[in-house]
Amino acid sequence: MIVPGVRLAAGAAGIRYQGRDDLVVMALDPGTRCAAVFTRNAFCAAPVQVARDHLAGIAPRYLLINAGNANAGTGPRGLRDARSCCEALATLGDCQANAVLPFSTGVIGEHLPVERLIAALPEVMARLREDAWPAAARAIMTTDQVAKLVSRRFQLNGREATVTGMAKGAGMICPNMATMLAFIATDAAVSSTLLQSCLQDAVARSFNAITVDGDTSTNDACVLMATGACGNPELDHPDTAEAQAFRAALESVCGELATAIIRDAEGATKLVTVEVDAAASLAEARLVAYTIAHSPLVKTALFASDPNWGRILAAVGRAGLDDLDIERVRIYLENVLIVDAGARAPDYTEAAGAAVMAKPEILIRVVLGRGACAARILTCDLSSDYVRINAEYRT
Amino acid sequence: MIVPGVRLAAGAAGIRYQGRDDLVVMALDPGTRCAAVFTRNAFCAAPVQVARDHLAGIAPRYLLINAGNANAGTGPRGLRDARSCCEALATLGDCQANAVLPFSTGVIGEHLPVERLIAALPEVMARLREDAWPAAARAIMTTDQVAKLVSRRFQLNGREATVTGMAKGAGMICPNMATMLAFIATDAAVSSTLLQSCLQDAVARSFNAITVDGDTSTNDACVLMATGACGNPELDHPDTAEAQAFRAALESVCGELATAIIRDAEGATKLVTVEVDAAASLAEARLVAYTIAHSPLVKTALFASDPNWGRILAAVGRAGLDDLDIERVRIYLENVLIVDAGARAPDYTEAAGAAVMAKPEILIRVVLGRGACAARILTCDLSSDYVRINAEYRT
């Protein structure tokens, strides 16, 4: 769990929530390298813009994360607020202001309570410890029901190294960017170039392959930090056995955190994998997978445990593939063939479909019969609780 | 309401529902011209395929419509079933089988109960009348709460002519095709070419500009019939005053039917217009409008009457426009400016936003500041009743 070179602390700034921590500081030893990916939402939040600027400058020494207020849609004042928080932390931490990366999650469109946040910093800074990951993972939660914290150990030139990551996110979750807040650290020494490419690959297969509701947040960010405290010769070339070991551990951490987000998705009762095989391109495989995963009718059928495969078939049909030959399409629920040659499979029985749909974890598999590309994404059902949560909560 | 040259009757075939009509026959006088648009879903239903084939052959004399079973995802047997029904009706009506157009709506993936349907035909055929539009509009309903029937009169060379249309649809509704079943008739004489172009234009502005849930049905069809019983010189050139009068009446009927579908959308409590102005192209205006209209977070905020404009801003930002300059974007709720230059407008108050959101009909207007194109679509909120209805009902 512990990543030598990274210390954390959580505290309560009363930003939106009362009686719980809502502020996290992560302190990075000198020499730590950082890679990051951010939301592609054009209305990216003030802290995203500031973090991007600061990353382009010098090596980060601190991450400052708050829950309860996204500082998004807040214009020039939002940028000033984010910078003020960085400056206050830099004074306490004795570093330059652009060595602090700010992250916010919570309600969009309200100004950050900068004074309360800054007032809470001294106490938090006094409590930085290497073993505070669990408290930090709890402090960054918003509508999350559970904290998301994953750790893996791996061998590196005969030494034991660690990758530990935490994430938050349960709604406004959609792929094609870093989809929520995630902070991952390793004590391995990794070059900046390799670190960024490993992060992008891992994110593409994990956080960018999940969707709750198709809504991409304004604040998504995923940061990967490598302290080098492990003492290994710096990893640089991607094809070495050591780089592969690091990559495997990183992808395992990202994959489990992404799965944890979907398990914790707002109102969700099912974990659903949508796999599209035999597509002509990765793009069309993803298009079909997301059309199914975003269909409110498919999602409500999943909630009802109803093997209503007609809705899956309709979603495949409307995905917009040119010249889709439905005679070649097969649709499975787990291993049960439900649609063959554009119609109900001869051997399919409602009982067999119902048995699969009753499970808490379900695989929907579509074979397009057009090529050799495949995509696999994770999603969840659409329940009445999703509506209740989002009719009550301000994102 | 009556369209001379068109007779209708509804009957009960017990296809899925008990104790209500679920079957409609429309009889067209010889010489009636038909135009039609169909779903673009690749898994289009058997009746859609058969109707398309038949239309390409001879002029239709009968339309045969059933509710409760979509005859979609039913493979070669589905095609045989649809043709058998056409043949049975053709025998009773003394015409060729391909002069009958079949239409089905209801559950996907179950075989049509052909014998029950055919058994009900003689009695229905015996009751064909010009004034049975209301009974027919009720008989084609599935999850619809209200029948949708609209009529307009207009002047044509000193004569009075009529356009009457009925539609069904409340869920699995999404644009870019004829989005549900709609049957529209006029007694005006209109050439086939003009009829088809008028229909396509009217559909683009009405049925193809609404969305409930982004799910495109396998069975959507919209048919426009012109009997010529009015006795006017046949309309052919689109620029004449008479053609304009017909077009205006047709667009009025289609617009009101499309609005009626959204008012009746499954679980909906609000009628929402999303207007995107100052876009660089029609395509990007529609993209932004549909991204807002399909956002579960925007839709649940509408359900809660919560002026949670951050979700609208996030949807605009994730729509995928290249180089969107958020400094130029303005977002309004009705006439209340909520977002200006990428942030909350200085004069915006929560009270002003809440007052708009409390209304049953709401306009969301986004000004992109990129060009002169605009799009306007109709949608609804996402309520817990939508989930309940679709977790219980088999589309």
Side-chain angles (χ1 to χ4, degrees):
Chain A
M1 172 76 58
I2 283 172
V3 179
V6 177
R7 291 169 302 139
L8 313 88
I15 289 165
R16 182 179 183 85
Y17 306 108
Q18 302 302 320
R20 57 157 274 195
D21 289 349
D22 54 5
L23 190 67
V24 169
V25 171
M26 296 180 73
L28 311 176
D29 277 1
T32 298
R33 299 181 195 280
C34 273
V37 288
F38 294 99
T39 182
R40 293 187 194 158
N41 194 306
F43 278 100
C44 68
V48 168
Q49 298 175 57
V50 173
R52 234 192 236 122
D53 283 353
H54 286 188
L55 260 177
I58 60 175
R61 295 294 311 282
Y62 293 97
L63 275 57
L64 172 58
I65 313 154
N66 75 270
N69 184 310
N71 192 8
T74 46
R77 179 168 153 197
L79 291 170
R80 285 197 303 274
D81 288 347
R83 291 195 188 104
S84 298
C85 295
C86 292
E87 282 157 17
L89 180 52
T91 302
L92 293 169
D94 196 22
C95 67
Q96 288 180 248
N98 63 351
V100 180
L101 304 182
F103 302 89
S104 297
T105 178
V107 180
I108 297 173
E110 295 183 8
H111 289 296
L112 201 62
V114 174
E115 289 183 13
R116 289 207 296 282
L117 196 156
I118 290 178
L121 284 178
E123 198 211 312
V124 174
M125 288 290 280
R127 288 191 286 104
L128 291 167
R129 303 159 50 118
E130 285 190 329
D131 62 357
W133 283 92
R138 282 193 300 275
I140 62 175
M141 291 163 62
T142 55
T143 57
D144 308 64
Q145 297 289 309
V146 298
K148 297 160 188 84
L149 179 60
V150 175
S151 190
R152 293 284 182 276
R153 313 205 73 173
F154 61 104
Q155 293 295 316
L156 210 52
N157 305 106
R159 299 161 198 258
E160 186 142 78
T162 301
V163 178
T164 297
M166 63 180 177
K168 64 80 54 180
M172 205 179 250
I173 294 286
C174 182
N176 212 15
M177 80 296 328
T179 319
M180 37 351 68
L181 294 186
F183 304 95
I184 304 156
T186 181
D187 54 345
V190 188
S191 75
S192 296
T193 310
L194 183 62
L195 202 65
Q196 185 72 32
S197 83
C198 285
L199 178 63
Q200 283 170 350
D201 289 352
V203 164
R205 296 177 195 195
S206 57
F207 302 121
N208 281 358
I210 60 177
T211 182
V212 171
D213 46 21
D215 276 307
T216 301
S217 154
T218 46
N219 289 56
D220 302 326
C222 179
V223 181
L224 172 60
M225 297 152 274
T227 65
C230 177
N232 63 295
E234 186 178 85
L235 304 179
D236 186 32
H237 196 286
D239 295 338
T240 61
E242 289 73 25
Q244 297 293 340
F246 166 62
R247 185 186 289 268
L250 175 65
E251 293 192 349
S252 178
V253 166
C254 289
E256 189 168 328
L257 286 173
T259 303
I261 287 174
I262 295 298
R263 279 187 199 284
D264 194 24
E266 290 168 354
T269 70
K270 310 245 184 199
L271 180 71
V272 183
T273 302
V274 181
E275 186 178 303
V276 176
D277 293 335
S281 67
L282 177 60
E284 79 171 33
R286 286 175 65 92
L287 179 65
V288 172
Y290 280 112
T291 304
I292 295 167
H294 288 154
S295 162
L297 291 172
V298 172
K299 288 171 106 73
T300 47
L302 287 163
F303 172 52
S305 297
D306 179 2
N308 192 336
W309 54 268
R311 295 181 181 177
I312 303 171
L313 171 147
V316 174
R318 76 173 165 88
L321 301 198
D322 285 337
D323 308 319
L324 177 65
D325 179 2
I326 66 167
E327 297 284 320
R328 301 173 71 93
V329 174
R330 296 196 305 278
I331 303 176
Y332 297 83
L333 283 176
E334 305 282 354
N335 292 320
V336 177
L337 179 64
I338 50 176
V339 172
D340 196 11
R344 182 161 65 181
D347 294 341
Y348 174 72
T349 63
E350 179 91 0
V356 173
M357 288 297 264
K359 295 182 182 178
E361 302 194 5
I362 295 169
L363 170 67
I364 297 173
R365 184 160 163 259
V366 177
V367 182
L368 293 175
R370 290 159 64 90
C373 296
R376 193 182 174 101
I377 64 170
L378 275 184
T379 189
C380 58
D381 56 339
L382 171 60
S383 69
S384 34
D385 271 357
Y386 177 91
V387 175
R388 183 186 54 72
I389 292 165
N390 283 296
E392 289 172 0
Y393 178 78
R394 280 242 175 155
T395 317
Chain B
M1 171 78 57
I2 284 172
V3 179
V6 177
R7 292 169 301 138
L8 314 87
I15 290 165
R16 181 178 184 85
Y17 307 107
Q18 302 302 321
R20 56 157 274 193
D21 289 348
D22 55 5
L23 191 68
V24 169
V25 171
M26 296 179 72
L28 311 176
D29 277 1
T32 298
R33 299 181 195 280
C34 273
V37 287
F38 294 99
T39 182
R40 293 187 195 160
N41 193 307
F43 279 99
C44 68
V48 168
Q49 297 174 59
V50 172
R52 236 192 234 121
D53 283 353
H54 287 187
L55 261 177
I58 61 176
R61 294 295 311 283
Y62 293 97
L63 274 58
L64 173 59
I65 312 154
N66 76 270
N69 184 311
N71 193 9
T74 47
R77 179 169 154 197
L79 290 170
R80 285 198 303 276
D81 288 347
R83 291 195 188 104
S84 298
C85 295
C86 291
E87 283 157 16
L89 179 53
T91 303
L92 294 168
D94 195 22
C95 68
Q96 289 179 246
N98 62 352
V100 180
L101 305 183
F103 302 88
S104 297
T105 178
V107 180
I108 296 173
E110 295 182 8
H111 289 296
L112 202 61
V114 174
E115 289 184 13
R116 289 206 297 281
L117 194 156
I118 290 178
L121 284 178
E123 199 210 312
V124 174
M125 288 291 280
R127 289 189 285 105
L128 291 166
R129 306 159 48 118
E130 287 190 328
D131 62 357
W133 284 91
R138 281 192 301 275
I140 61 175
M141 292 163 60
T142 55
T143 56
D144 307 65
Q145 298 289 309
V146 299
K148 296 160 189 83
L149 179 61
V150 175
S151 189
R152 293 283 183 278
R153 312 205 73 173
F154 62 104
Q155 292 296 317
L156 212 50
N157 305 107
R159 300 162 196 258
E160 187 142 78
T162 301
V163 179
T164 297
M166 61 180 178
K168 64 81 53 182
M172 205 178 250
I173 296 286
C174 182
N176 212 14
M177 79 299 324
T179 319
M180 34 358 59
L181 294 185
F183 304 95
I184 304 155
T186 181
D187 54 344
V190 188
S191 74
S192 296
T193 309
L194 183 63
L195 202 65
Q196 184 72 34
S197 82
C198 286
L199 178 63
Q200 285 171 349
D201 289 351
V203 164
R205 295 176 196 197
S206 56
F207 302 120
N208 281 358
I210 60 176
T211 182
V212 172
D213 46 21
D215 276 307
T216 302
S217 155
T218 46
N219 289 57
D220 301 326
C222 178
V223 182
L224 173 61
M225 296 152 273
T227 66
C230 176
N232 63 296
E234 185 177 87
L235 304 180
D236 187 30
H237 197 284
D239 295 337
T240 61
E242 289 73 24
Q244 297 295 340
F246 166 63
R247 185 186 288 268
L250 175 65
E251 294 192 351
S252 178
V253 167
C254 290
E256 189 167 327
L257 286 173
T259 304
I261 287 174
I262 294 297
R263 279 188 199 283
D264 196 24
E266 290 168 353
T269 69
K270 310 244 183 201
L271 180 73
V272 183
T273 302
V274 181
E275 186 178 304
V276 176
D277 293 335
S281 68
L282 178 60
E284 78 170 33
R286 287 175 64 94
L287 178 65
V288 172
Y290 280 113
T291 304
I292 296 167
H294 287 154
S295 161
L297 290 173
V298 172
K299 289 171 105 75
T300 47
L302 287 163
F303 172 52
S305 297
D306 179 2
N308 192 335
W309 54 269
R311 295 181 181 176
I312 303 171
L313 171 147
V316 173
R318 76 172 166 89
L321 300 199
D322 285 337
D323 308 318
L324 176 65
D325 178 1
I326 65 167
E327 298 284 322
R328 301 174 71 94
V329 175
R330 294 196 306 277
I331 304 177
Y332 297 83
L333 283 176
E334 304 284 353
N335 292 320
V336 178
L337 178 64
I338 49 176
V339 173
D340 195 13
R344 181 161 65 179
D347 294 343
Y348 174 73
T349 64
E350 178 92 359
V356 174
M357 288 298 265
K359 295 181 182 179
E361 302 193 4
I362 296 168
L363 170 67
I364 297 172
R365 183 160 164 259
V366 177
V367 182
L368 293 175
R370 290 160 63 91
C373 296
R376 194 180 172 104
I377 64 171
L378 276 184
T379 189
C380 58
D381 56 338
L382 170 61
S383 70
S384 34
D385 272 357
Y386 178 91
V387 176
R388 184 186 53 72
I389 291 165
N390 284 295
E392 287 172 1
Y393 177 78
R394 279 241 174 158
T395 316

